[in-house]
């Protein structure tokens, strides 16, 4: 099954308020002018504008770009970040700005922490989010160490989120002003220590304004399309990658209705994800959806749409940015939250619970689109722009 590459929309530009953008970047950094800041430069318009704004704001900027995978193949596809063309674009931008720039070979680390984990998750019947793993490991762990080694007082990225300091003096993560670009879901695993060091200068800008700033500064990437699909799958066909890395996922099995009827066969469990309707190749006169994957028995379980409704889920690998000391303390107190189970879905009212030492999220109403392996990001119901943390979904409990 091949994912079709979406058509890249024509980039839109807004008039650049350079003084305002520079002032906003300086406020986001919150350090004295002249302080050293590492700018993580992917080669895209967002991270390039961050480096440019920090340079204009008077900081000692050092650009760092990560080579994460075999960029020779990725050159054949537009819209793949951290590929060969992107490294070239980052280098040219750094040269035009007159800032030092380093390219670090992280292919081995990225393969171990992201690509292999991605393939293994599909074998377990999960739906992984590789962008979160990349932020959690290579970018916000390893790269931060590099920034400190370079003597930087902070590291800045082009993510659309806001870092704020709360009344208690602790750093908070909040949604950016452009909610349509908000990336807080993908950054739920950012730890308090990492957040203390990170800066997000684009928090107050919308994407057309960022492009306007790039054009005003004469940056060649001003009209560069945004990245599409999974960066390390240049063809967009991620199942071909999984088949190559984990061929055992192609073992055939049964497609079974949740009432026990065997409806057909499949050619590999990695072809399916929770909530999938198309491509089931079974006909029973009613719309059917994948409701569960049973990798041990190579079974794909299907049922009606209402069977997708989830009453509760459990979390693993949790992270906490809330006011309580730990997420376990918040769960033990039954803290109310807004839970976001996919980046494309709005948060839903829920509460935390602690059951036999396991963090659970209990929804006020049935929630759709919940799949093990995905992230569940948690927000504050009293302050919906504030990210409280989250975790990776391990198990789900059906509503019916």
């Amino acid at each position: 099954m091949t994912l079709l590459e979406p058509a890249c929309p024509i980039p839109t530009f807004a008039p650049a308020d350079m003084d305002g953008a520079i002032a906003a970047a300086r406020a986001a950094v919150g350090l004295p002018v002249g302080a050293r800041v590492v700018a993580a430069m992917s080669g895209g318009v967002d991270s390039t504008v961050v480096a440019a704004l920090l340079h204009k704001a008077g900081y000692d900027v050092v650009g760092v770009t990560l080579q994460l995978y075999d960029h020779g193949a990725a050159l054949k596809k537009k819209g793949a970040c951290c590929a060969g063309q992107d490294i070239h674009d980052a280098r040219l931008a750094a040269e035009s700005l007159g800032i030092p720039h380093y390219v670090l070979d992280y292919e081995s680390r990225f393969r171990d922490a992201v690509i292999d984990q991605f393939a293994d998750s599909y074998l377990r019947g999960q739906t992984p989010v590789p962008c979160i793993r990349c932020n959690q490991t290579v970018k916000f762990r390893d790269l931060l160490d590099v920034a400190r080694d370079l003597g930087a007082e902070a590291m800045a990225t082009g993510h659309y989120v806001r870092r704020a300091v709360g009344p208690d003096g602790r750093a908070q993560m909040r949604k950016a002003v452009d909610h349509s670009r908000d990336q807080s879901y993908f950054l739920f695993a950012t730890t308090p220590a990492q957040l203390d060091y990170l800066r997000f200068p684009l928090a107050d800008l919308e994407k057309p304004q960022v492009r306007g700033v790039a054009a005003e500064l004469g940056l060649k990437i001003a009209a560069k399309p945004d990245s599409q699909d999974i960066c390390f799958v240049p063809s967009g066909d991620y199942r071909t990658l999984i088949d190559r890395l984990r061929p055992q996922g192609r073992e055939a099995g049964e497609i079974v209705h949740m009432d026990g009827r065997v409806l057909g066969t499949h050619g590999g469990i990695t072809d399916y994800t929770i909530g999938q309707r198309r491509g089931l190749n079974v006909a029973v006169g009613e719309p059917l959806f994948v409701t569960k994957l049973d990798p041990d028995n190579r079974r794909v379980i299907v049922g009606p749409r209402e069977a997708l409704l989830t009453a509760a889920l459990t979390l693993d690998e949790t992270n906490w940015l809330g006011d309580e000391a730990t997420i376990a303390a918040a769960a033990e107190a039954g803290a109310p939250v807004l839970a976001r189970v996919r980046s494309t879905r709005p948060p839903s009212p829920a509460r935390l619970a602690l059951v036999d030492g396991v963090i659970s999220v209990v929804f006020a109403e049935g929630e759709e689109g919940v799949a093990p392996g995905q992230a569940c990001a948690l927000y504050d119901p009293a302050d919906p722009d504030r990210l409280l943390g989250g975790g990776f979904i391990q198990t789900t409990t059906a509503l019916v």
Side-chain angles (χ1 to χ4, degrees):
M1 179 178 178
T2 300
L3 299 180
L4 297 178
E5 180 178 352
C8 292
I10 297 174
T12 56
F13 293 73
D17 174 9
M18 287 300 302
D19 291 339
I22 291 170
R26 192 175 287 130
V29 172
L31 294 171
V33 171
R36 174 166 291 183
V37 180
V38 161
M41 300 179 68
S42 69
V45 62
D46 296 325
S47 61
T48 303
V49 166
V50 164
L53 288 177
L54 296 182
H55 180 61
K56 291 287 186 181
Y59 291 104
D60 176 14
V61 182
V62 178
V64 176
T65 301
L66 301 181
Q67 179 179 317
L68 298 179
Y69 54 90
D70 182 4
H71 62 274
L75 277 170
K76 300 176 183 177
K77 182 192 176 189
K78 295 180 179 179
C81 72
C82 305
Q85 183 61 49
D86 297 311
I87 293 173
H88 178 68
D89 290 343
R91 182 181 289 116
L92 286 181
E95 289 179 359
S96 70
L97 295 172
I99 64 173
H101 179 250
Y102 300 94
V103 177
L104 306 180
D105 183 353
Y106 271 38
E107 283 194 31
S108 177
R109 301 187 196 194
F110 185 73
R111 182 176 60 250
D112 293 342
V114 180
I115 298 178
D116 285 346
Q117 194 276 339
F118 175 80
D120 288 338
S121 291
Y122 271 101
L123 283 189
R124 293 193 295 267
Q126 298 179 331
T127 306
V129 192
C131 292
I132 294 178
R133 289 293 182 188
C134 184
N135 290 326
Q136 182 187 32
T137 56
V138 176
K139 291 183 179 177
F140 284 5
R141 185 187 65 198
D142 299 340
L143 185 53
L144 259 66
D145 290 339
V146 171
R148 292 188 178 95
D149 290 342
L150 289 171
E153 296 185 47
M155 188 179 87
T157 78
H159 289 100
Y160 284 84
V161 291
R162 180 188 304 279
R163 177 188 180 276
V165 178
D168 58 0
R170 297 167 57 200
Q172 298 178 356
M173 184 177 290
R174 305 178 64 83
K175 295 178 183 177
V177 66
D178 187 351
H179 281 195
S180 69
R181 305 288 305 184
D182 175 59
Q183 293 174 293
S184 58
Y185 173 84
F186 297 100
L187 300 179
F188 86 84
T190 307
T191 67
Q194 292 168 343
L195 191 54
D196 282 341
Y197 192 68
L198 288 163
R199 301 293 188 271
F200 308 105
L202 302 186
D204 290 319
L205 300 178
E206 297 182 351
K207 188 56 178 268
Q209 293 175 301
V210 173
R211 292 194 182 277
V213 168
E216 179 73 15
L217 292 173
L219 297 173
K220 294 183 178 180
I221 46 73
K224 186 175 182 177
D226 291 335
S227 59
Q228 304 287 337
D229 300 326
I230 300 169
C231 71
F232 55 88
V233 187
S235 67
D237 183 3
Y238 69 91
R239 288 185 173 96
T240 298
L241 172 70
I242 296 170
D243 291 347
R244 177 168 59 83
L245 295 176
R246 304 291 186 270
Q248 61 268 41
R250 300 309 303 168
E251 295 179 0
E254 296 176 331
I255 298 177
V256 183
H257 195 283
M258 55 189 303
D259 64 11
R261 289 178 290 156
V262 177
L263 303 179
T265 60
H266 64 79
I269 200 168
T270 54
D271 281 343
Y272 301 88
T273 57
I274 302 296
Q276 180 176 332
R277 177 181 176 184
R278 298 180 184 275
L280 301 183
N281 296 321
V282 294
V284 294
E286 61 174 318
L288 293 177
F289 300 80
V290 176
T291 62
K292 184 179 179 181
L293 296 172
D294 181 1
D296 291 338
N297 296 302
R298 302 194 303 280
R299 283 189 160 192
V300 175
I301 314 300
V302 298
R305 182 166 187 167
E306 55 265 27
L308 292 173
L309 292 175
T310 297
L313 57 84
T314 62
L315 294 178
D316 194 14
E317 299 183 69
T318 57
N319 181 57
W320 187 244
L321 297 170
D323 294 331
E324 293 85 352
T326 64
I327 191 172
E332 192 169 21
V337 293
L338 294 174
R340 190 176 189 179
V341 297
R342 288 182 184 262
S343 63
T344 54
R345 290 187 64 82
S348 297
R351 63 177 175 84
L352 293 177
L354 190 66
V355 181
D356 296 328
V358 177
I359 306 297
S360 298
V361 177
V362 181
F363 293 100
E365 298 179 359
E367 177 71 355
E368 270 194 33
V370 184
Q374 290 281 92
C376 177
L378 306 173
Y379 299 83
D380 186 351
D383 186 3
D385 279 355
R386 183 184 178 188
L387 178 74
L388 298 178
F392 289 100
I393 300 168
Q394 291 302 298
T395 63
T396 61
T397 300
L399 184 64
V400 292

